[in-house]
Amino acid sequence: MRFLYLLFAIVLLFFQAAPGSADPLFADTAECRSQGNFCRNGACPFPFAASGSCHGGLMKCCSK
């Protein structure tokens, strides 16, 4: 039974995110966020307008 706890701890450590792994995979996402904008699925909220795309064109880049 103790072996299962140890195995669970090792699996959690194995799948833990490494520093820097949260970097965006898509260039358009990185460009959107570097300009202080954010990505959103669907329409942008009222004071914001779509200024481009994110995640390879699947999402919209919302800016003021």
Side-chain angles (χ1 to χ4, degrees):
M1 199 61 163
R2 291 181 191 170
F3 177 73
L4 291 177
Y5 291 120
L6 181 62
L7 182 63
F8 182 68
I10 291 172
V11 169
L12 282 179
L13 288 174
F14 182 72
F15 288 111
Q16 185 177 9
S21 67
D23 294 336
L25 298 175
F26 300 101
D28 56 353
T29 304
E31 183 180 346
C32 177
R33 291 187 178 165
S34 70
Q35 296 172 356
N37 303 331
F38 62 94
C39 299
R40 181 163 177 148
N41 217 1
C44 297
F46 167 64
F48 299 96
S51 64
S53 64
C54 293
H55 297 284
L58 297 175
M59 299 176 80
K60 295 178 182 174
C61 180
C62 299
S63 65
K64 278 196 171 184

